[in-house]
Amino acid sequence: LAGLKTAVVQKILEEIRPLITMMPELLPREVISEFKLLSFADALLALHFPESSRDIAEGNKRIAFQEMIELLYAAKLNKDANAALESWHIPFDVAKTKAFVAELPFKLTNDQRRAAWDIIQNFESSTPMNRLLQGDVGLGKTIVAGIAALVAAHAGYQTALMAPTDLLARQHAATLAQLLEPFGITTGLLVGSLKKSAKATLK
């Protein structure tokens, strides 16, 4: 659509307006009625040919609702697909994990303990894990990742912790090295600025 003038777009929309009115409905009538939504066709008409700001608001409400339903459905399909897969079984070494937690320079919060325990339980199941660990800066997401890495390492596995920037990767690497290396777990930093020989060593 780059380069198209607004008048041209409006003309095209006017020409296909009859087709818009025939757009099939994608949601059950009961849902549309319960949540007081416009039909899909009416929502498109309200957005492309609004007569008031209310038309735009109602059109956006319907489209946003439908997108939410589609995202939830996609997540359900993804979850079902993951459930059909088989993951590695990573046993939980209770004694070594307790020793690690006891040596931390701070006490874990209940939320940190709960998050770490949920991950450990997933490790011991045969279903692949797909989790989102959410928290503001400074709430301890890194230590939860560190506990997961510790459990995996003691079971003979490697862990890759990815970060969006070089600086953040270095910060995480330094923190985890300080926490894990006293327990015999080797850590490494892999960033784009490393030489090829150094990258090969880390793989």
Side-chain angles (χ1 to χ4, degrees):
L1 297 178
L4 281 180
K5 295 182 179 180
T6 302
V8 175
V9 174
Q10 289 176 336
K11 183 179 180 181
I12 294 173
L13 287 172
E14 284 290 352
E15 290 180 356
I16 65 172
R17 187 168 184 166
L19 295 177
I20 294 177
T21 64
M22 295 185 287
M23 289 294 291
E25 182 53 63
L26 304 176
L27 296 178
R29 291 181 180 177
E30 298 80 11
V31 172
I32 294 174
S33 176
E34 180 178 353
F35 293 95
K36 298 179 174 59
L37 301 172
L38 295 177
S39 69
F40 185 54
D42 286 344
L44 293 178
L45 290 172
L47 290 172
H48 290 300
F49 308 99
E51 296 181 359
S52 67
S53 58
R54 178 179 174 81
D55 285 347
I56 297 174
E58 290 297 318
N60 281 328
K61 175 184 174 182
R62 164 56 204 261
I63 298 301
F65 187 94
Q66 184 166 315
E67 289 177 349
M68 179 188 69
I69 295 295
E70 290 169 352
L71 286 172
L72 290 173
Y73 185 61
K76 177 65 167 59
L77 292 177
N78 184 60
K79 184 177 180 179
D80 291 344
N82 281 343
L85 302 174
E86 187 172 352
S87 65
W88 291 285
H89 172 74
I90 301 177
F92 176 35
D93 191 320
V94 180
K96 290 181 179 179
T97 305
K98 283 186 174 181
F100 172 74
V101 172
E103 291 297 321
L104 290 174
F106 51 84
K107 185 178 180 180
L108 292 178
T109 66
N110 289 334
D111 285 340
Q112 289 168 343
R113 289 179 180 274
R114 189 179 304 112
W117 178 240
D118 286 345
I119 291 171
I120 289 168
Q121 286 183 306
N122 275 138
F123 277 172
E124 292 198 303
S125 74
S126 60
T127 303
M129 178 172 20
N130 187 5
R131 285 187 171 275
L132 172 65
L133 182 60
Q134 183 176 352
D136 290 335
V137 175
L139 289 185
K141 297 184 295 296
T142 303
I143 188 56
V144 173
I147 293 172
L150 177 95
V151 173
H154 284 311
Y157 294 94
Q158 290 183 316
T159 298
L161 178 64
M162 300 179 68
T165 66
D166 185 296
L167 176 61
L168 190 57
R170 293 179 185 277
Q171 291 174 345
H172 284 324
T175 299
L176 292 172
Q178 183 180 9
L179 294 172
L180 297 172
E181 290 188 352
F183 291 86
I185 298 173
T186 302
T187 63
L189 174 67
L190 179 61
V191 292
S193 58
L194 287 180
K195 294 182 179 180
K196 186 176 181 180
S197 58
K199 291 181 180 180
T201 303
L202 289 169
K203 292 181 180 179

